[in-house]
Amino acid sequence: MSLFEAIRLALAQIRAQKLKSFFTLLGVTIGVTFLIAVVSIVGGMSRYMRDELVGKIIAVNAFELRHRPNINIGDIDEETWRSYRTRPRIRKEDVPPVVEALPPGTVWSVVSENNVRAESRYANPRQVLAFGVTDDYFNIRRMGVASGRLIAPQEFALGAPVVVIGKDIAEHFFPGVEPVGRELRIGGIPYQVVGVAEAQGSSFGISFDRFIVAPHDAPIYRLLNQHGVIDAVVVQAESVPIMLEAQERVRQVMRTRHRLRPSQPDNFVLETSDSALAFWTKIRGYLVVAGVALPAIGLVVGAIVIMNIMLVAVAERTREIGIRKSLGARRRDILRQFIVESATLSTFGAAVGVAIGLGLAQLIAATTPLPAAVELWSVIVGVSVGAGVGIIAGVYPARQASRLDPIAAMRQE
């Protein structure tokens, strides 16, 4: 008997015994459904964290030299916080040797940041997040403007009192008027708004459009940091290998400047999107394991049900088996028929489970804040495991069927 013929007979049995087939594949369907749904939600959360949260803070193929991490996901113990507070700050005089060590194919920007009080003639004063940056910042962040222009190189060089503002800042301080060309006072000093940045979006209810950007050497610097101190040097490379090389060079420069011995750990951080997501990556691993292990219980139950149903099928079809053997069916033909029938049942159940799981994941994404992203490997694993469960569960009943004596089987009523 060919494989296709065995599958055809298996499908015929499913159509003939719909209720029994439904209960047979129910366990596999439930197990695969939850496997797909859980893995899709975990995958969606991972992409959301990488692209929408960390990806909007740390640029592509970039790292940030800081005295401590800027993004902290998970619990940080008190001892770690104490070590952060005792670390030396990154200073302006660190920038030239760091920049000199960078390989070709990199760009960089100095960044200082803090919350400052801003006001305009059109709205009440408000605390806003302010950045003092050097001229490649907008290129690194791939930030354009919705109106107006970016800060010009001459304005960076002169430390001119000009700013580019986010969409939320424009809406609050300049309601109903065009902000470009108008005055925004920061620390009592008037700054001219030269541009409104493109919308940056939000994450977990936190808006990324509530900011102002000014030249690093503008008067705003005294509100952002102590004299001579900066918050970060942002370095972006053309590719990941160049970025890794740049990281190692910067690490060696900073260890030398901080007079660290080989046995001493770094007292600074080179933060990338991967390092910022290290805690989430660990949690994601646990969630994926749980998402695979818990549905496995349903698959085990499904395998037991399939085995019992197939044993009942063997008992009910004893006469049929005897007739097939008397007509020349070999033992392996009977064995193959029942294994294929079992595998077909479970594979069909797995396919239904994949469809329901994808629908459930999309429903959760549409009705809750949880994102969902289908992981191709989970679909392949779901279908493969479903087929495997059917094959394993069908071996014993198939062997029982193949060993039946044809004469005794034909006498069976």
Side-chain angles (χ1 to χ4, degrees):
M1 179 186 295
S2 69
L3 177 62
F4 291 109
E5 179 66 15
I7 293 175
R8 188 188 65 77
L9 289 173
L11 292 174
Q13 287 295 325
I14 293 174
R15 288 193 299 269
Q17 302 182 14
K18 296 181 179 63
L19 185 61
K20 184 187 294 185
S21 299
F22 170 77
F23 286 109
T24 302
L25 55 84
L26 186 60
V28 175
T29 299
I30 292 173
V32 173
T33 294
F34 282 99
L35 169 66
I36 299 297
V38 171
V39 172
S40 295
I41 291 171
V42 172
M45 285 294 296
S46 297
R47 294 186 187 181
Y48 187 80
M49 295 286 285
R50 184 182 67 246
D51 301 334
E52 299 299 322
L53 179 60
V54 176
K56 290 186 176 180
I57 300 175
I58 300 178
V60 177
N61 290 343
F63 67 90
E64 299 182 359
L65 168 63
R66 293 179 175 269
H67 79 287
R68 65 177 179 84
N70 186 41
I71 303 173
N72 295 286
I73 301 176
D75 294 331
I76 307 295
D77 57 59
E78 184 60 31
E79 183 179 350
T80 302
W81 279 117
R82 281 198 299 268
S83 71
Y84 287 163
R85 287 193 290 268
T86 59
R87 287 182 173 185
R89 297 295 299 272
I90 309 299
R91 305 188 65 83
K92 284 185 176 181
E93 53 263 33
D94 293 324
V95 177
V98 164
V99 172
E100 186 179 350
L102 293 176
T106 57
V107 292
W108 59 275
S109 175
V110 173
V111 177
S112 290
E113 60 191 89
N114 207 342
N115 289 309
V116 299
R117 182 182 174 86
E119 57 185 318
S120 76
R121 59 181 296 187
Y122 306 99
N124 294 325
R126 189 179 195 179
Q127 290 289 114
V128 300
L129 179 61
F131 295 89
V133 304
T134 53
D135 52 357
D136 271 323
Y137 177 81
F138 292 106
N139 292 331
I140 292 172
R141 298 294 305 163
R142 297 181 182 177
M143 185 184 295
V145 290
S147 62
R149 62 175 176 84
L150 296 175
I151 300 171
Q154 297 86 348
E155 292 168 330
F156 278 115
L158 296 173
V162 296
V163 291
V164 170
I165 62 177
K167 179 173 66 71
D168 290 356
I169 302 298
E171 291 174 355
H172 174 78
F173 287 105
F174 305 99
V177 298
E178 172 57 50
V180 175
R182 300 187 186 273
E183 182 182 286
L184 183 66
R185 299 184 70 86
I186 304 169
I189 297 176
Y191 286 76
Q192 182 186 18
V193 177
V194 297
V196 177
E198 295 172 336
Q200 304 297 302
S202 63
S203 179
F204 294 111
I206 301 171
S207 174
F208 293 117
D209 292 304
R210 196 173 299 165
F211 66 87
I212 61 175
V213 180
H216 193 271
D217 292 334
I220 198 173
Y221 171 72
R222 62 184 175 83
L223 303 176
L224 304 180
N225 262 322
Q226 302 171 10
H227 180 69
V229 173
I230 63 174
D231 285 309
V233 179
V234 182
V235 178
Q236 186 178 52
E238 294 176 348
S239 63
V240 172
I242 295 177
M243 184 190 75
L244 296 176
E245 180 186 352
Q247 276 186 281
E248 191 55 37
R249 291 190 183 189
V250 172
R251 175 176 283 110
Q252 293 305 318
V253 169
M254 292 305 299
R255 287 186 64 85
T256 300
R257 292 188 61 80
H258 287 183
R259 297 182 174 85
L260 296 174
R261 294 188 295 272
S263 60
Q264 292 179 296
D266 295 342
N267 56 3
F268 54 89
V269 65
L270 302 176
E271 189 172 36
T272 65
S273 58
D274 288 339
S275 64
L277 287 171
F279 179 80
W280 165 252
T281 301
K282 182 178 180 181
I283 295 298
R284 181 188 63 185
Y286 293 141
L287 291 175
V288 170
V289 170
V292 173
L294 293 178
I297 298 173
L299 293 174
V300 170
V301 173
I304 294 172
V305 172
I306 290 173
M307 183 180 295
N308 288 332
I309 293 293
M310 293 304 296
L311 285 172
V312 171
V314 170
E316 290 177 345
R317 295 160 60 188
T318 301
R319 185 175 178 82
E320 174 194 330
I321 295 169
I323 293 173
R324 286 182 180 276
K325 280 197 163 187
S326 65
L327 293 175
R330 294 164 296 181
R331 180 177 174 181
R332 65 183 181 185
D333 293 327
I334 302 298
L335 185 68
R336 178 187 297 177
Q337 177 189 344
F338 279 89
I339 288 179
V340 169
E341 187 171 321
S342 174
T344 302
L345 273 170
S346 60
T347 302
F348 183 74
V352 173
V354 168
I356 297 175
L358 296 179
L360 181 61
Q362 294 303 317
L363 178 64
I364 293 173
T367 57
T368 71
L370 293 175
V374 178
E375 299 286 347
L376 179 60
W377 69 264
S378 66
V379 175
I380 296 173
V381 168
V383 175
S384 300
V385 168
V389 165
I391 292 171
I392 294 171
V395 167
Y396 179 70
R399 289 183 64 188
Q400 293 295 100
S402 66
R403 289 177 176 176
L404 288 175
D405 179 65
I407 297 176
M410 290 180 66
R411 290 175 179 171
Q412 184 74 30
E413 294 295 335

